[in-house]
Amino acid sequence: MKNKCLIIITLSIVLFYACHSKVEKNEHNETQISTIDSEGKVNAHFTFLDIWKKLPLKQLPLDETTNFDNVANDRFLTEEEKVVLKLDKIFTDYSQYKDAYSIRSAYKLEFSKRFYSIVINAFKGEHELEIILINYNDSEDIIDYKVIAYDEIAESISQKTATIEKNFVTIIDKTDLEETVIEISKFHVNASGEFNIVKDVFTSTIRPNEAILLNKTYKDTIQFNSYNDDGDYRLLFGKKDFQEVILIHNFDWEQEKKYNFSENETLQITWKMDSIWIAGDGETLDFKETIIDAKRIKK
């Protein structure tokens, strides 16, 4: 009888540990499954906001000059964190070359309460480093991103730095070959979190064969057609060498006789290419011919 009881107790202990081990194995396997479910949704143990809250906030304006000599060596992202941040939308070859990537979360910025801004450092192999500014919407999707700094130590011929302001990012590209070449690009960060390049050379139907400079004053002759004051900007329509021209105006033409022109009158206009904000489109910065003054040319 004692032997039977001993056998039963022994079998119970064996079964208990076997079941317990099986449960532990199953639980371990569950943590290793993909963080993307069958519907393509992130199945992580933390959220985008968990990552966001842990990042240090840097105040604007600031100079972004991260390179191999000064880059920090902490806060490297796990595979799960990379999925939550949807970095496969930026590094399209990541699944193929993920062993070559090391990515760390650097800091966060606050351009607006309407979207989130995160800066990451991406090591591409041992010789390339990209600093990337990423804007996310409330749905945690990437709105837009921009490589704002870059360093490479294979040949040490290319480097990128940036100055970040409240609504603008200015990027300086430096290339050292036989001579040093520096290119400067400026981007406006609109209210929707998109990056729009700020140009300084333009084209215009008023002078179609000439490069037009921002805020430089020009004088030309046009034929007046009409005013249209019904939109977000008040417009003057005319023709120059049979081509339609449209300029933004601020004339009180109904009250001031000198600006109350008749159709086909010949005008001498003073104008410039000026900045405007496109309403209802994330307050996007744009540029448009703007008339400063106009007067009739008497025949």
Side-chain angles (χ1 to χ4, degrees), residues 256-272:
E256 295 188 63
K257 185 177 179 181
K258 67 176 183 177
Y259 296 126
N260 196 341
F261 306 120
S262 300
E263 187 176 1
N264 293 324
E265 276 195 294
T266 301
L267 309 180
Q268 183 183 76
I269 62 170
T270 303
W271 64 281
K272 66 178 181 177

Side-chain angles (χ1 to χ4, degrees), residues 19-34 45 80:
C19 292
H20 185 65
S21 298
K22 185 175 182 181
V23 170
E24 284 187 337
K25 184 177 180 181
N26 286 340
E27 288 177 351
H28 177 72
N29 285 342
E30 284 176 0
T31 65
Q32 299 302 313
I33 63 173
S34 171
H45 299 101
E80 195 174 22

Side-chain angles (χ1 to χ4, degrees), residues 13 16 88 108 133 150 171 212 223 225 265 272 277:
I13 293 171
F16 172 79
D88 60 316
K108 60 188 175 186
L133 170 58
Y150 173 82
I171 299 174
I212 304 300
Q223 275 65 51
N225 186 5
E265 276 195 294
K272 66 178 181 177
W277 300 95

Side-chain angles (χ1 to χ4, degrees), residues 104-260:
R104 66 177 297 272
S105 55
Y107 54 89
K108 60 188 175 186
L109 298 171
E110 188 173 291
F111 290 101
S112 169
K113 299 290 186 182
R114 296 173 58 178
F115 56 88
Y116 302 95
S117 301
I118 289 178
V119 174
I120 63 170
N121 301 155
F123 295 87
K124 303 174 75 172
E126 298 179 352
H127 302 110
E128 287 186 278
L129 171 62
E130 289 183 344
I131 289 76
I132 305 173
L133 170 58
I134 315 169
N135 291 337
Y136 293 85
N137 60 23
D138 286 336
S139 299
E140 302 174 6
D141 293 319
I142 294 176
I143 302 169
D144 205 352
Y145 67 91
K146 186 67 59 180
V147 177
I148 58 173
Y150 173 82
D151 192 24
E152 58 87 15
I153 55 175
E155 297 177 319
S156 297
I157 62 173
S158 181
Q159 191 175 52
K160 189 193 302 275
T161 59
T163 297
I164 308 173
E165 302 169 87
K166 181 59 180 176
N167 297 111
F168 294 93
V169 178
T170 303
I171 299 174
I172 301 98
D173 283 285
K174 181 181 177 182
T175 304
D176 287 307
L177 291 170
E178 294 181 358
E179 60 180 25
T180 300
V181 177
I182 295 177
E183 296 182 357
I184 299 175
S185 303
K186 190 170 185 177
F187 297 86
H188 172 247
V189 185
N190 71 14
S192 297
E194 299 165 329
F195 297 100
N196 302 114
I197 191 165
V198 178
K199 299 187 295 182
D200 54 10
V201 178
F202 305 85
T203 59
S204 171
T205 54
I206 302 175
R207 296 191 176 195
N209 300 317
E210 182 176 339
I212 304 300
L213 302 180
L214 184 64
N215 289 322
K216 180 179 178 180
T217 301
Y218 299 90
K219 288 190 176 183
D220 284 279
T221 301
I222 67 169
Q223 275 65 51
F224 176 80
N225 186 5
S226 63
Y227 287 112
N228 186 334
D229 299 343
D230 294 333
D232 293 323
Y233 290 95
R234 304 168 69 197
L235 303 177
L236 181 152
F237 290 82
K239 285 187 177 181
K240 171 78 174 181
D241 297 329
F242 303 103
Q243 295 293 318
E244 182 180 59
V245 297
I246 306 173
L247 302 100
I248 294 175
H249 79 88
N250 196 32
F251 300 150
D252 189 4
W253 59 273
E254 292 180 309
Q255 300 297 324
E256 295 188 63
K257 185 177 179 181
K258 67 176 183 177
Y259 296 126
N260 196 341

Side-chain angles (χ1 to χ4, degrees), residues 49-74:
L49 287 179
D50 292 330
I51 300 173
W52 164 263
K53 290 174 182 177
K54 292 179 182 179
L55 289 174
L57 174 66
K58 285 198 174 184
Q59 300 298 322
L60 299 175
L62 67 87
D63 291 325
E64 175 50 77
T65 58
T66 302
N67 56 45
F68 274 101
D69 293 331
N70 60 23
V71 66
N73 194 32
D74 61 353

